[in-house]
Amino acid sequence: MITTDDWVQTLGAGTLLAIAAGAVAVLLFLIIKLRVHAFLALVLVSLLTAFATGIPSGDVIPTLTEGFGSTLGAVALLVGLGAMLGRLIEVSGGAQALTDALINKFGEEKAPLALGIASLIFGFPIFFDAGFVVMLPILFTVARRLGGGVLRYGIPVAGAFSVMHIFVPPHPGPVAATELLGADVGLVILLALVVAIPTWYLTSYLFGLWVGKKIVLPVPDILMGGPKAEHDEDPPSALTVIGLLLLPLLMIFANTGLDTARAAGWVDGDAEWFTLARALGSTPVALLATVLVASYVLGTRRGRGADVVEKLIDSALGPVCAIILITGAGGMFGAVLRASGVGDALSDALGDMGLPVIVAAYIVAAALRIAQGSATVALITAAGLVQPAVFLGDFNSVELAAIVLALAAGSVTASHVNDSGFWLVGRFLGMDVKTTLKTWTVMQTAIGLMGFGLASAIFAIA
């Protein structure tokens, strides 16, 4: 991130951590008390933090723009394409058709459970951001149909994608940690599901039902093009919508299978056909293909002209621009904290604590997550820090898998304003910062604590 290779951070760990804590406090004050727009507040605090931590003046702006750009590179394509798909499904009446099918199958009382289970399945191969955005039109339509506010349905869905993304391979964090610690990936997947599913049920589904009663928020109109959007009188079938939602799932799942085959040595990872197939199965390409198919299936084939479909897709982008920018700025803030050495200082301070390996794994990962925001960075960095202790110990395969899960649990703990996911979920569900802290942050912390508890239990009985 820093372009000056020979720059060395001279501030102590205590000073860096104090600056980071002060930056978070200032950011919350600007947004909550002074009502400064979140995007402006994040950019301002990122700039001030870069200078305060001693990042060379010539590298401050490159650090900010690279952090912003790298986050947008991961998020903007997924959110933009997901919003287009959501707009087509919403306006065609497809979301309503699938909602009716879900309610008829599971009943109104079980609708949040049905949405959550569907999200757990979609979340196996699909990254958090993409899966969450693709599910939004269904989530919003169910919430409008049944009432009770958006959080009753949104928290179980967001939590489902979160637990799958952080605990279960083939997502990048647990895969990297598994490889670093030499754990068996198949065993990690099995035990990750044992941890993730009950953790989701208690911390996301039941919590979502409870908090949805305490905080009743209206359903956002962000994917509708306004509250007066007109739907087709003859909507597509629920099976058509399910097929469209499964298309990116299958493409990404095939991509994951190819990578697994490469890691196992079954195929040549340098072969031209392999790299081409991996590119075609990547998440952005899968979503692009799905949007193109949906444009025909839900648009052209149903009598809409190309100009109408183009306007529908274009109308999806305006409402999500603010979310994309705020999410990018959240990534910028986290990147500044990483570039300043906050994470490294914290790692050094925690490295010699003399705790049991599985406890140290959780604490180090959680501290890194809180300090710099990115769950994947926290998980991979913490795995590298505990790797020497793991290699020196005599751990069996189940214990190794449990340590990977403890690292994952730590890395999901206490998502707050330096995490781009905090802004993505908060803004899409129509929450202000204070409400996002009360809901999303609490849920993520509960996921981390329960996940660590289950991982520790597995470790103890191994």
Side-chain angles (χ1 to χ4, degrees), residues 2-237:
I2 298 297
T3 57
T4 303
D5 294 333
D6 58 356
W7 177 71
V8 177
Q9 177 59 265
T10 58
L11 298 178
T15 302
L16 285 172
L17 295 176
I19 292 172
V24 171
V26 170
L27 182 61
L28 293 176
F29 178 77
L30 289 173
I31 295 173
I32 296 174
K33 294 296 183 181
L34 300 186
R35 311 299 296 177
V36 177
H37 191 277
F39 176 71
L40 297 176
L42 282 162
V43 175
L44 175 61
V45 172
S46 298
L47 181 65
L48 295 176
T49 303
F51 282 119
T53 54
I55 293 176
S57 300
D59 294 325
V60 168
I61 300 304
T63 299
L64 265 63
T65 54
E66 287 172 21
F68 184 73
S70 63
T71 303
L72 289 188
V75 170
L77 272 174
L78 305 185
V79 172
L81 291 168
M84 291 177 181
L85 178 60
R87 180 77 170 125
L88 289 167
I89 292 174
E90 172 69 32
V91 172
S92 69
Q96 185 64 56
L98 185 54
T99 297
D100 292 341
L102 282 172
I103 293 172
N104 291 336
K105 180 69 174 178
F106 294 96
E108 294 186 2
E109 288 298 316
K110 297 295 184 181
L113 181 64
L115 286 172
I117 292 173
S119 299
L120 287 171
I121 295 171
F122 286 159
F124 188 82
I126 295 182
F127 284 9
F128 171 82
D129 306 34
F132 181 67
V133 173
V134 167
M135 281 297 293
L136 282 176
I138 313 303
L139 187 163
F140 288 166
T141 304
V142 171
R144 289 191 193 97
R145 166 81 177 273
L146 301 181
V150 71
L151 295 185
R152 171 179 171 83
Y153 310 92
I155 293 299
V157 167
F161 283 111
S162 178
V163 297
M164 297 301 285
H165 184 81
I166 201 63
F167 286 115
V168 185
H171 294 285
V175 166
T178 298
E179 292 180 354
L180 282 169
L181 301 188
D184 179 82
V185 67
L187 186 59
V188 171
I189 292 174
L190 177 62
L191 295 178
L193 292 173
V194 170
V195 169
I197 293 173
T199 296
W200 166 78
Y201 186 82
L202 290 177
T203 66
S204 304
Y205 172 62
L206 294 182
F207 174 69
L209 296 183
W210 178 80
V211 81
K213 293 180 181 177
K214 299 291 183 180
I215 305 174
V216 181
L217 297 178
V219 182
D221 294 323
I222 197 164
L223 297 181
M224 296 183 64
K228 296 182 180 180
E230 296 182 359
H231 297 166
D232 283 358
E233 295 181 1
D234 180 26
S237 68

